Amino acid sequence: MARPDKAAAVAELTEEFQSSQGAVLTEYRGLSVAQVSELRRSLGQNARFRIVKNTLTKIAATEAGLDEQVIDLFQGPTAIAFVRGDVVEAAKGLRDFSKANSPLVIKGGVIDDKAMTPEQINQLADLESREVLLSKLAGAFKAKQGQAARLFQALPTKTVRLAQALHDKRSEEA
């Protein structure tokens, strides 16, 4: 690895591993250039799909501290989707593309420094996006606030009704 171009490639891959929230490793054998371009477009702005050399990527993964999680996945032609945004959205894009194009195989990956199997990545793809989950959480908070407001409003109303009923009863007795 004495060549400067290889050292620069390793440094770039190391930076990609360290700065991304996740990296999903795939095997792309059998995909045409047009299909790879379509995959890159379908991943959008949140992920960067790179075809890599296994030997250089192993060195970069070791330098990034991820060698234990992904070292076994570098067999055969490997491409990596480096995710910088919503991991769920990128996992959905990869899963949907692999369903439509069988040559793309998800090998596994690392998300937030945790090793992920292909099954776990597919389960992650089944989740709703971050925005949808946050909006559901906000809706739940708003519903609880509404329930609390109705509860606080009901107490004085019931007290007034009780006082009125007591007043009516006493006036009937008198």
Side-chain angles (χ1 to χ4, degrees):
M1 200 188 84
R3 293 189 9 206
D5 57 337
K6 288 186 179 183
V10 168
E12 184 179 344
L13 285 169
T14 302
E15 172 61 28
E16 288 274 4
F17 276 119
Q18 291 173 340
S19 65
S20 62
Q21 292 177 329
V24 180
L25 282 76
T26 62
E27 183 174 325
Y28 66 95
R29 185 186 333 226
L31 289 178
S32 67
V33 174
Q35 288 172 321
V36 171
S37 297
E38 179 186 341
L39 174 59
R40 285 184 173 131
R41 278 191 304 275
S42 70
L43 290 177
Q45 301 297 323
N46 289 339
R48 183 172 178 212
F49 190 76
R50 292 191 57 186
I51 295 173
V52 296
K53 292 185 177 260
N54 288 345
T55 53
L56 298 179
T57 310
K58 283 180 187 178
I59 295 168
T62 303
E63 288 181 7
L66 302 174
D67 55 338
E68 295 173 7
Q69 290 102 335
V70 295
I71 202 75
D72 297 333
L73 303 176
F74 292 113
Q75 296 174 359
T78 303
I80 303 175
F82 292 104
V83 183
R84 291 187 184 260
D86 189 7
V87 179
V88 173
E89 184 180 332
K92 281 182 185 180
L94 286 169
R95 182 200 56 195
D96 295 344
F97 190 85
S98 69
K99 283 182 180 178
N101 300 286
S102 60
L104 183 73
V105 177
I106 298 173
K107 294 180 179 182
V110 176
I111 297 174
D112 292 329
D113 295 329
K114 182 180 180 276
M116 302 286 280
T117 65
E119 294 79 24
Q120 290 172 325
I121 291 172
N122 285 330
Q123 288 175 348
L124 188 64
D126 290 335
L127 292 176
E128 293 173 339
S129 71
R130 183 175 190 269
E131 289 79 22
V132 171
L133 291 175
L134 286 174
S135 65
K136 284 185 175 183
L137 183 63
F141 282 141
K142 184 178 178 185
K144 290 297 179 188
Q145 288 176 345
Q147 288 174 348
R150 285 189 296 277
L151 176 67
F152 292 139
Q153 185 180 13
L155 290 174
T157 304
K158 287 187 178 184
T159 305
V160 168
R161 286 184 188 159
L162 181 61
Q164 183 64 38
L166 183 61
H167 179 269
D168 291 344
K169 184 176 181 181
R170 285 191 179 164
S171 64
E172 284 177 12
E173 291 175 359

